[in-house]
Every structure is written in C-alpha cells, then in structure tokens.
C-alpha cells in the first residue's frame, strides 16, 4: 500500500524549513506542503493561548491541502500545543520528544543544554522529558528571543560580530556549566550551528530537532504503509502568510535549495 498525499509541515516562520530539509533528505520521494506563518512570527514570545490558536489555524490550512501527516516543525508549538492535536484526522508529529531522546543518547557527562524560545523554556517541555529518561541529568536552559528575528532576517554569518556576540550571550550559562550536548530547541537555530560551535567548541554535540524528527516521520509512514509510491516526481509547495522582505533569500538558505522556490501567500485567517 502507498499514500501519495503530501507531508504537511508548518512553523511560525521559515525556521521549520530546517526540518523540511531533513525530511526531504530522508524521504526524497515524498510530496511536501510547507506553511510558514511569516506574518505572525515570532510565536515564542506570545502567550500559550495565542500559540495554540495559531497552531490550530496552521493545521487547518494544511488539512485543506489534503496532507497525510502533520509535522509541527516548531519547538514552540510542539511544547505548548497538545490537546487539539490529539483530535486531528491525520497523524501528528512534534519535534521535542525525538530530540530529547537523541540528546540523552549523546551526552557523556549528563549535562544537557537547551536553547529555545521563551515560550518553550517556560513550558519546561525538554527539561521534563530529559529528566523522565535520565533523572540525574543536569539541564541548563536559556531562552533566546533575539535569535529568531536574526535568522528570519538572514543574519546568520558566523563572521558577523553582532551574530557572534548575541549567540555568545545566550550560551554563557551552558559554557559555565560545561554542557557536552546542546539541544537546538528552536527550529530556527540549526542555521546558527557554525556560530554556536564556534562559541561552545567542537566538542559539544549539537542536536538538530529536524534530523531526529525526520526519522520519526519515516518510521510512522512505514508503519502505516503510507509512503509515496515514487511513480511521479515529488512536488514541493511552499506557503507563507506574508511575503516579508527577506523571506525568499532566507528560505533558500534554510532549505539549502539552489533552484528558485515558488512561494504562495495565503490569508491564514480565512482558511
Ligand atoms: N521555529 C520556532 C521554534 O522552533 C519558533 C520561533 C518563534 O516563532 O518564536 O520554536
């Protein structure tokens, strides 16, 4: 059996493309529908109620595109939403639990850092799940609200002193405590990995939520006999809620695509 409907992926903005990239790498035959809520990013500084409301609208949009699975490619939504997702008519995959398992597996000194948005840190999702699996772990968290706007604007160059200093400031607690593993708890952050490694040193393992989530998506589709049959060339559709000034360039960088992306704007309030 096969299912040729697309994998639906959403994020508050373009950060979720780092997850989409990993899914495409692992499942190249699959059709993809991506929605980035560029008109309302960031989610991470908003109240839990607002994040839940936005997530429900994003999911409704993806369902209107007849997707077979929904991936919340957003640490914030994955940490805060929950109830609504249980009643979705298609399977739902979040990004937190898979990255937690990868971090617990990777750490040697049981000191794990979590760098994420304020809403994610406030939810305590990573810390709670790490301690469930490894009760004697030391979890060092920090919320980094300036990093999402930097990435959305395409400011990711490790040679840029503003980027380097901002990242350095947020990583101070992790450096002080000597974490050997850091969860990039926001899907915008993998593109900052070179800067983060420069600050923390190559010895610290960085956990990219996209990579661990892509495996979870593959496993689920295999289990449900729902992989694409691969007979037709896969289609990738991108939607945003606002065509912001830098979205096209940033999207290409995050996705690692050379060809020009076709991105359509939608009114998310009307879905
Ligand atoms: N990319 C998102 C995350 O993983 C959200 C960033 C934001 O909107 O604040 O948390």
């Amino acid at each position: 059996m096969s299912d040729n409907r697309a994998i639906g992926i959403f994020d508050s903005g373009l950060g979720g493309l780092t997850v989409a990239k990993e899914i495409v790498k692992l499942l190249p035959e699959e059709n993809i529908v991506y929605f980035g809520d560029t008109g309302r990013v960031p989610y991470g500084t908003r109240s839990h109620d607002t994040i839940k409301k936005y997530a429900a609208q994003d999911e409704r949009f993806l369902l209107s595109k007849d997707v077979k699975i929904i991936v919340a490619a957003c640490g914030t939504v994955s940490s805060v939403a929950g109830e609504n997702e249980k009643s979705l008519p298609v399977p739902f995959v979040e990004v937190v639990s898979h990255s937690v398992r990868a971090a617990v597996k990777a750490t040697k000194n049981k000191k794990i850092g979590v760098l994420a948005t304020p809403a994610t840190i406030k939810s305590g999702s990573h810390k709670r799940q790490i301690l469930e699996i490894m009760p004697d772990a030391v979890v060092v968290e920090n919320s980094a609200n300036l990093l999402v706007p930097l990435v959305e604007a395409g400011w990711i160059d490790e040679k840029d002193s503003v980027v380097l200093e901002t990242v350095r400031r947020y990583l101070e607690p992790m450096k002080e405590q000597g974490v050997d593993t850091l969860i990039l708890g926001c899907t915008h952050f993998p593109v900052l990995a070179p800067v983060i490694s420069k600050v923390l040193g190559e010895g610290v393992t960085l956990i990219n939520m996209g990579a661990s989530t892509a495996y979870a998506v593959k496993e689920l589709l295999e289990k449900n006999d729902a992989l694409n049959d691969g007979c037709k060339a896969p289609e990738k559709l991108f939607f945003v809620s606002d065509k912001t000034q830098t979205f096209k360039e940033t999207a290409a960088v995050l996705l690692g695509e050379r060809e020009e992306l076709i991105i359509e704007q939608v009114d998310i309030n009307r879905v």
Side-chain angles (χ1 to χ4, degrees):
M1 269 232 317
S2 58
D3 187 340
N4 291 353
R5 289 177 299 165
I7 297 176
I9 306 171
F10 76 96
D11 178 41
S12 60
L14 301 175
L17 290 172
T18 62
V19 180
K21 182 179 171 184
E22 299 295 333
I23 292 175
V24 170
K25 202 156 68 179
L26 198 64
L27 297 164
E29 311 286 2
E30 293 295 326
N31 294 308
I32 302 286
V33 175
Y34 182 91
F35 173 68
D37 200 358
T38 47
R40 303 190 294 199
V41 66
Y43 284 7
T45 47
R46 297 182 195 270
S47 69
H48 286 192
D49 281 347
T50 301
I51 296 165
K52 283 182 194 168
K53 186 177 104 188
Y54 287 177
Q57 286 177 318
D58 302 344
E59 287 154 6
R60 210 175 312 134
F61 170 71
L62 289 178
L63 289 173
S64 76
K65 297 286 165 199
D66 193 27
V67 298
K68 60 182 168 186
I69 184 171
I70 291 184
V71 182
C74 174
T76 306
V77 169
S78 300
S79 300
V80 170
E83 279 315 301
N84 180 42
E85 286 63 26
K86 286 189 192 135
S87 57
L88 287 173
V90 296
F92 174 79
V93 176
E94 44 73 47
V95 289
V96 173
S97 57
H98 318 290
S99 58
V100 161
R101 276 197 291 277
V104 167
K105 212 165 150 197
T107 184
K108 300 265 181 319
N109 71 2
K110 299 191 177 180
K111 291 184 179 176
I112 301 173
V114 181
L115 189 69
T117 65
T120 298
I121 297 298
K122 187 167 160 229
S123 79
S125 59
H126 291 90
K127 184 170 183 173
R128 194 172 49 248
Q129 293 185 37
I130 291 170
L131 295 177
E132 268 167 25
I133 313 177
M134 188 180 260
D136 55 345
V138 175
V139 183
V140 187
E141 303 168 291
N142 206 1
S143 60
N145 44 358
L146 292 181
L147 296 185
V148 172
L150 273 188
V151 172
E152 287 283 321
W155 288 35
I156 56 173
D157 189 347
E158 62 185 290
K159 288 187 235 61
D160 185 324
S161 59
V162 174
V163 177
L164 187 63
E165 280 317 309
T166 313
V167 168
R168 199 192 298 280
R169 179 85 72 93
Y170 286 126
L171 291 176
E172 262 164 28
M174 283 82 176
K175 266 198 103 137
E176 261 166 37
Q177 302 261 350
V179 304
D180 72 352
T181 305
L182 176 72
I183 298 179
L184 305 177
C186 169
T187 54
H188 279 71
F189 299 170
V191 283
L192 292 169
V195 198
I196 293 173
S197 280
K198 198 166 175 174
V199 174
L200 288 181
E202 296 293 335
V204 174
T205 306
L206 304 183
I207 304 293
N208 172 346
M209 297 198 293
S212 36
T213 302
Y215 281 100
V217 171
K218 182 167 184 259
E219 253 176 48
L220 193 65
L221 292 179
E222 278 170 354
K223 193 176 108 209
N224 293 351
D225 259 340
L227 287 165
N228 191 305
D229 63 17
C231 292
K232 258 173 75 183
E235 205 175 35
K236 290 185 216 141
L237 304 176
F238 299 93
F239 298 89
V240 290
S241 51
D242 193 15
K243 294 192 172 180
T244 53
Q245 248 174 17
T246 49
F247 80 98
K248 232 176 183 169
E249 298 76 23
T250 308
V253 172
L254 265 63
L255 199 59
E257 287 271 341
R258 260 181 234 125
E259 65 213 77
E260 170 123 359
L261 302 177
I262 298 166
I263 309 178
E264 199 179 306
Q265 183 167 346
V266 291
D267 183 351
I268 195 66
N269 287 307
R270 288 195 171 197
V271 176

